[in-house]
Amino acid sequence: MESKTSERKKLLSKIATGNGHGEDSPYFDGWKAYDKDPFHPTNNPRGVIQMGLAENQLCFDLIEDWVSKNPEASICTIKGVDEFKEIAIFQDYHGLPEFRQAIANFMGKVRGNKVKFDPDRIVMSGGATGAHEMIAFCLADPGEALLVPTPYYPGFDRDLRWRTGVQLVPVHCDGSNDFKITRPALEEAYKRAKEDNIKVKGLLITNPSNPLGTIMVRETLKDILSFINEKNIHLVCDEIYAATVFSQPGFVSISEVLEEDPKCNRDLVHVVYSLSKDMGFPGFRVGIVYSYNDAVVSCARKMSSFGLVSSQTQHLIASMLSDDQFVDNERKQLLSKIATGNGHGEDSSYFHGWKAYDKDPFHPTNNPRGVIQKGLAENQLCFDLIEDWVLNNPEASICTIEGVDEFKEIAIFQDNHGLPEFRQAIANFMGKVRGNKVKFDPDRIVMSGGATGAHEMIAFCLADPGEAFLVPTPYHPGFDKDLRWRTRVQLVPVHCDSSNDFKITRPALEEAYKRANEDNIKVKGLLITNPSDRETLKGIWSFIHEKNIHLVCDEIYATTVFSQPGFVSISEVLEEDPKCNRDLVHVVYSLSKDMGFPGFRVGIVYSYNDAVVGCAREMSSFGLVSSETQHLIASMLSDDQFVDKFIAESTKRLAARYKVFTEGLEEVNTACLNGSAGLFFWMDLRHLLKEPTVAEEMALWRIIIQEVKLNVSPGSSFHCTEPGWFWVCFANMDEKTMDVALQRIRSFVVQAKKPKVPAKEKCLQEILGSASRRHEDWRMPSWLHT
């Protein structure tokens, strides 16, 4: 009879259950031995001493002294708290401009200012681990390979291979010449790969070398550039130890050698960097990809959303590295199909609306005719409560006089389990949000870089390429990227409609499941976004149990319920059925919506399946939460009085804001789907369409975004099958902006419903290109011109 563990593993993906993670190695076994029996001079003097961790702890006295003298660098001090809201809500995956500039300057300074770096080529990721995986995804498809000189860091077997399916081909170097990389060794490895029918896409080198601790001389780097140019393959240069050089000859960057060879194809060269080693901040998860290839920069920037650096950390690092005194003391053809395809899902009106806002953002005084952002589901209604708590709890931050004693301990922390107090606080908060009707085990809390990273992580764990998740429509456009792009998992729509308020029904689930089977697509799970009512959840639970497929329940809006019936978690329904197979249930959570902290990148996977917890924890190293943020969140969420007040006040303010918008629209005979949760509403503009077609909906959307200047999202971008519905966010702006937005919507609806008259102005057909002629007589209201 099969063990419970074997049964659990059968439910997972081959990626999850295979040994591609590379952790079946003495290197990682040594870490496990240390974790079980860590040395302590008094508590455990016979324990294992950790000498397998390449970490720089020698200068934390200088860093702590700088932090104490620069309180404005932190958003958790009296001098910095005015920026708390702006930083906590920031989520542009380009990163804070000052952060990219500071990193570019620091990279140049570390390299003796012999070469300059362009901040617009800086792409951030969750530590060097995430950066290596990102560049592998960008450059190579599954089965293709990177050459890697030996000896090389054991983590590369995980970082570059596990989830990408990319191979590593060793370039055998030996001690007879101090393990230097030679042209014959490179040629031999390249030839061996070709004989094995393996396509080589690039060469990965580490300079200064890990594990050798040696520096590559200029001639070696020139020879390497010559080799990759001749073969027309990529060069990935890991330079995370650039500032650790302590003797002559000094460090020579590949960027410096590149400057000396104007004929070299720069599109082939990419640098991986991090602050983990040079500054000793592995806990802060600051990873960087710097590429000379525009296509790689663009692709990597889209992928960075799976593991962004916390904006709190970006802000601190930007301030620290900008202190010079302190610091001194044929491009697309070369990329992977994943990188150059449109699997990222950003060829969508949802994302095009964001781009329109980015180009012309509304400002009440500087740009009153600009686009108002109503396509961002963000909760900005209670930041006054949060900022007040921060000021009253200075010890919660490691960047205050009261908290700086913990700076070193937090900055160096990198265990992928996460700080115990962080996991406990998250578990308690998840229970409190759910009315304490169910308890959560902190040992099942697995962290990731925001909900984006959490969704990708669970997809990697549960399904192999080509397998599928059922997803009820309408669903968030980001799922097409988060769950599909790099995992190559499919999404099969479960078509819901307005006749029953888009509720998920058993017939709709059965129809989608049947359709997938007829198309020879193996369904591995169902993804739902909850809040949903109890009876719907019970029906869903019955369905997945009968089909023996997974249920992934996205509950990131759990605290945004503002009317009755209250929130019902899938975990609560689970508790009511003791016979159910809990191994099938997994919850995705985050603080982006409930607390309004998307910039902090706090994503959570909570699984009832031990095998999934184990696998997800290993994968979490690709996008861990900054330990600085973990420390702050643990303190904040452990304050029961504050949490209770925040939840109550947030509920009150969300209800009030929702009422203002929906009642304002009712006055101009525009209906909205009756909602009781979330940071948005579903607006019905079907009455403004001449015909119920997607083309008509898109024409209407173009008018709304380009002329009315509101970034709302058409239902078709959410895979809604009924044209005319629009997604509108209401909690991401102040009251004055809300008033302007509501005025614009109301005025537009009134104008659009007026009888057509001959238009004397330039028709919208000329302005909007493909917009339907149905709307060409609509004219700009006079109030929008003022």
Side-chain angles (χ1 to χ4, degrees):
M1 189 172 179
E2 287 187 307
S3 67
K4 184 72 171 175
T5 301
S6 297
E7 291 178 9
R8 282 173 172 157
K9 284 191 173 183
K10 278 187 175 180
L11 294 168
L12 274 62
S13 68
K14 295 183 180 70
I15 292 173
T17 55
N19 63 353
H21 49 70
E23 294 196 2
D24 295 334
S25 156
Y27 172 80
F28 290 104
D29 289 340
W31 273 63
K32 293 168 187 173
Y34 169 77
D35 288 341
K36 289 180 180 177
D37 183 27
F39 168 83
H40 189 279
T42 53
N43 298 340
N44 190 24
R46 296 184 185 178
V48 177
I49 296 177
Q50 175 60 288
M51 298 197 72
L53 172 59
E55 195 168 64
N56 183 3
Q57 300 186 21
L58 302 183
C59 293
F60 269 100
D61 56 329
L62 304 181
I63 295 167
E64 290 165 355
D65 182 60
W66 184 90
V67 167
S68 297
K69 293 177 180 176
N70 293 271
E72 72 284 351
S74 171
I75 57 175
C76 300
T77 63
I78 293 175
K79 292 190 176 182
V81 75
D82 287 345
E83 295 190 73
F84 191 101
K85 175 181 175 182
E86 182 181 354
I87 299 301
I89 66 173
F90 190 89
Q91 60 175 0
D92 182 356
Y93 50 40
H94 286 74
L96 294 169
E98 60 268 30
F99 169 76
R100 288 185 285 113
Q101 185 64 63
I103 290 289
N105 292 345
F106 185 70
M107 288 175 67
K109 188 178 285 285
V110 164
R111 290 151 181 83
N113 289 320
K114 297 173 183 176
V115 63
K116 287 187 177 180
F117 293 89
D118 180 355
D120 290 334
R121 293 189 177 279
I122 298 285
V123 183
M124 59 179 167
S125 184
T129 299
H132 275 296
E133 183 185 52
M134 179 194 291
I135 199 67
F137 266 121
C138 285
L139 304 184
D141 285 304
E144 296 177 341
L146 299 177
L147 305 179
V148 190
T150 63
Y152 65 78
Y153 171 56
F156 287 164
D157 290 316
R158 174 195 63 192
D159 303 350
L160 291 135
R161 293 175 54 243
W162 188 15
R163 305 197 304 187
T164 66
V166 170
Q167 300 188 58
L168 300 186
V169 175
V171 177
H172 296 300
C173 307
D174 58 70
S176 63
N177 71 339
D178 297 330
F179 296 100
K180 287 181 181 177
I181 304 170
T182 65
R183 186 61 175 258
L186 290 169
E187 293 286 1
E188 188 277 331
Y190 188 84
K191 178 183 176 184
R192 181 165 22 97
K194 289 194 73 173
E195 290 172 347
D196 292 338
N197 293 316
I198 299 172
K199 183 176 182 179
V200 174
K201 289 299 294 286
L203 165 66
L204 167 66
I205 63 173
T206 308
N207 182 35
S209 173
N210 174 17
L212 302 176
T214 56
I215 304 165
M216 289 185 192
V217 298
R218 191 178 302 272
E219 290 307 313
T220 299
L221 292 172
K222 285 182 176 180
D223 202 34
I224 287 171
L225 277 181
S226 172
F227 173 78
I228 65 109
N229 267 275
E230 179 185 309
K231 306 297 185 187
N232 198 37
I233 62 174
H234 295 278
L235 174 62
V236 179
C237 195
D238 179 334
E239 296 188 345
I240 68 172
Y241 291 97
T244 67
V245 177
F246 49 81
S247 65
Q248 294 300 320
F251 174 63
V252 180
S253 171
I254 194 65
S255 300
E256 185 180 339
V257 178
L258 203 61
E259 290 288 323
E260 299 168 357
D261 185 359
K263 295 180 181 179
C264 182
N265 183 359
R266 292 187 165 215
D267 284 346
L268 298 173
V269 181
H270 325 277
V271 177
V272 169
Y273 188 57
S274 141
L275 297 186
S276 298
K277 312 303 180 183
D278 282 357
M279 296 292 290
F281 295 163
F284 285 1
R285 310 309 300 164
V286 180
I288 298 295
V289 166
Y290 186 93
S291 177
Y292 292 90
N293 185 316
D294 293 340
V296 170
V297 170
S298 176
C299 173
R301 188 150 281 143
K302 291 185 179 79
M303 286 190 185
S304 68
S305 58
F306 294 108
L308 293 172
V309 178
S310 163
S311 53
Q312 179 191 12
T313 299
Q314 288 184 57
H315 183 67
L316 173 66
I317 294 300
S319 300
M320 185 180 291
L321 297 189
S322 297
D323 186 336
D324 288 335
Q325 186 177 355
F326 167 73
V327 171
D328 291 339
N329 260 0
E330 100 232 85
R331 289 174 175 162
K332 287 196 172 183
Q333 290 180 349
L334 294 168
L335 273 59
S336 69
K337 294 183 180 70
I338 292 173
T340 55
N342 63 355
H344 49 71
E346 293 195 6
D347 294 333
S348 158
S349 49
Y350 171 81
F351 291 104
H352 291 321
W354 273 60
K355 292 168 187 173
Y357 168 76
D358 288 341
K359 289 179 181 177
D360 184 27
F362 169 85
H363 188 277
T365 54
N366 297 340
N367 189 24
R369 298 183 193 177
V371 177
I372 295 178
Q373 174 60 288
K374 299 191 70 63
L376 171 60
E378 194 167 62
N379 186 359
Q380 298 186 22
L381 302 184
C382 293
F383 268 100
D384 56 327
L385 304 181
I386 295 167
E387 289 166 356
D388 184 59
W389 184 90
V390 167
L391 288 178
N392 291 326
N393 293 270
E395 73 286 350
S397 172
I398 58 174
C399 300
T400 61
I401 293 174
E402 293 84 353
V404 74
D405 288 345
E406 294 189 74
F407 192 101
K408 174 182 175 181
E409 181 181 354
I410 299 301
I412 66 174
F413 190 87
Q414 59 175 0
D415 182 356
N416 58 14
H417 286 71
L419 294 169
E421 58 268 31
F422 169 76
R423 287 185 286 113
Q424 185 64 64
I426 290 290
N428 292 345
F429 184 69
M430 288 175 68
K432 186 180 285 286
V433 165
R434 290 152 181 82
N436 289 319
K437 296 173 183 175
V438 62
K439 287 187 176 181
F440 293 89
D441 181 354
D443 289 334
R444 292 190 177 278
I445 298 284
V446 182
M447 58 180 167
S448 184
T452 297
H455 274 296
E456 184 184 53
M457 180 194 291
I458 201 67
F460 266 121
C461 285
L462 304 183
D464 284 305
E467 295 177 341
F469 287 98
L470 304 179
V471 190
T473 65
Y475 66 78
H476 191 266
F479 287 165
D480 290 314
K481 177 184 71 176
D482 302 351
L483 290 133
R484 293 176 53 241
W485 189 18
R486 304 197 304 188
T487 65
R488 301 177 295 283
V489 169
Q490 299 188 60
L491 300 185
V492 175
V494 178
H495 295 300
C496 305
D497 58 71
S498 62
S499 63
N500 69 339
D501 297 332
F502 295 99
K503 286 184 179 178
I504 306 167
T505 64
R506 183 62 179 255
L509 290 169
E510 292 286 1
E511 188 277 331
Y513 189 83
K514 178 184 177 184
R515 183 166 20 100
N517 281 335
E518 290 172 347
D519 292 338
N520 294 315
I521 298 172
K522 183 176 182 180
V523 174
K524 287 300 293 287
L526 166 66
L527 167 67
I528 64 170
T529 305
N530 185 30
S532 293
D533 64 86
R534 188 181 299 273
E535 290 309 311
T536 297
L537 290 174
K538 284 183 176 179
I540 287 169
W541 171 241
S542 172
F543 173 78
I544 66 110
H545 210 262
E546 178 184 311
K547 306 297 184 186
N548 196 37
I549 60 175
H550 295 278
L551 174 62
V552 178
C553 197
D554 180 334
E555 297 190 344
I556 68 173
Y557 292 100
T559 309
T560 69
V561 177
F562 49 80
S563 66
Q564 294 301 320
F567 178 65
V568 180
S569 171
I570 192 63
S571 300
E572 188 179 338
V573 174
L574 210 60
E575 291 289 323
E576 299 169 357
D577 185 359
K579 297 180 181 179
C580 69
N581 182 0
R582 294 189 168 211
D583 285 343
L584 298 174
V585 181
H586 325 276
V587 176
V588 169
Y589 189 57
S590 130
L591 297 185
S592 297
K593 310 303 180 184
D594 281 357
M595 298 292 291
F597 293 164
F600 283 3
R601 311 308 300 161
V602 180
I604 299 296
V605 167
Y606 187 93
S607 177
Y608 291 90
N609 185 316
D610 292 339
V612 170
V613 170
C615 174
R617 185 149 285 138
E618 288 169 348
M619 285 191 185
S620 68
S621 56
F622 294 108
L624 294 171
V625 178
S626 165
S627 52
E628 178 193 13
T629 297
Q630 289 184 56
H631 183 68
L632 174 67
I633 294 300
S635 299
M636 185 180 291
L637 297 188
S638 296
D639 186 336
D640 288 334
Q641 185 176 355
F642 165 75
V643 170
D644 290 342
K645 180 180 179 181
F646 179 89
I647 292 173
E649 190 63 26
S650 178
T651 300
K652 177 181 175 182
R653 295 182 188 183
L654 285 170
R657 180 66 66 87
Y658 176 83
K659 182 178 180 182
V660 168
F661 263 108
T662 54
E663 290 185 354
L665 289 172
E666 285 176 6
E667 291 174 2
V668 291
N669 298 315
T670 297
C672 299
L673 191 71
N674 186 33
S676 58
L679 311 172
F680 40 77
F681 54 86
W682 198 234
M683 180 171 63
D684 186 1
L685 296 183
R686 288 178 294 177
H687 58 291
L688 299 185
L689 302 183
K690 181 179 179 181
E691 298 174 348
T693 65
V694 172
E696 281 286 304
E697 177 185 86
M698 292 303 295
L700 181 61
W701 171 73
R702 290 188 185 97
I703 293 171
I704 293 172
I705 199 163
Q706 295 183 20
E707 295 299 309
V708 187
K709 296 295 185 78
L710 293 172
N711 178 27
V712 301
S713 301
S716 56
S717 67
F718 284 71
H719 302 272
C720 181
T721 56
E722 297 179 27
W725 291 92
F726 287 80
W727 191 67
V728 185
C729 299
F730 62 79
N732 63 328
M733 62 191 70
D734 58 35
E735 287 195 19
K736 290 183 178 179
T737 306
M738 175 196 71
D739 290 340
V740 175
L742 183 55
Q743 181 190 23
R744 288 187 183 182
I745 294 177
R746 286 163 53 92
S747 181
F748 166 68
V749 170
V750 170
Q751 289 278 333
K753 291 169 72 174
K754 283 183 177 179
K756 288 197 292 184
V757 295
K760 296 180 181 179
E761 297 94 337
K762 182 193 296 184
C763 73
L764 286 176
Q765 186 70 23
E766 297 176 38
I767 300 173
L768 304 178
S770 61
S772 166
R773 288 189 178 274
R774 160 70 178 81
H775 303 288
E776 67 182 25
D777 292 321
W778 184 84
R779 288 175 288 177
M780 182 86 74
S782 60
W783 55 263
L784 196 55
H785 289 286
T786 59

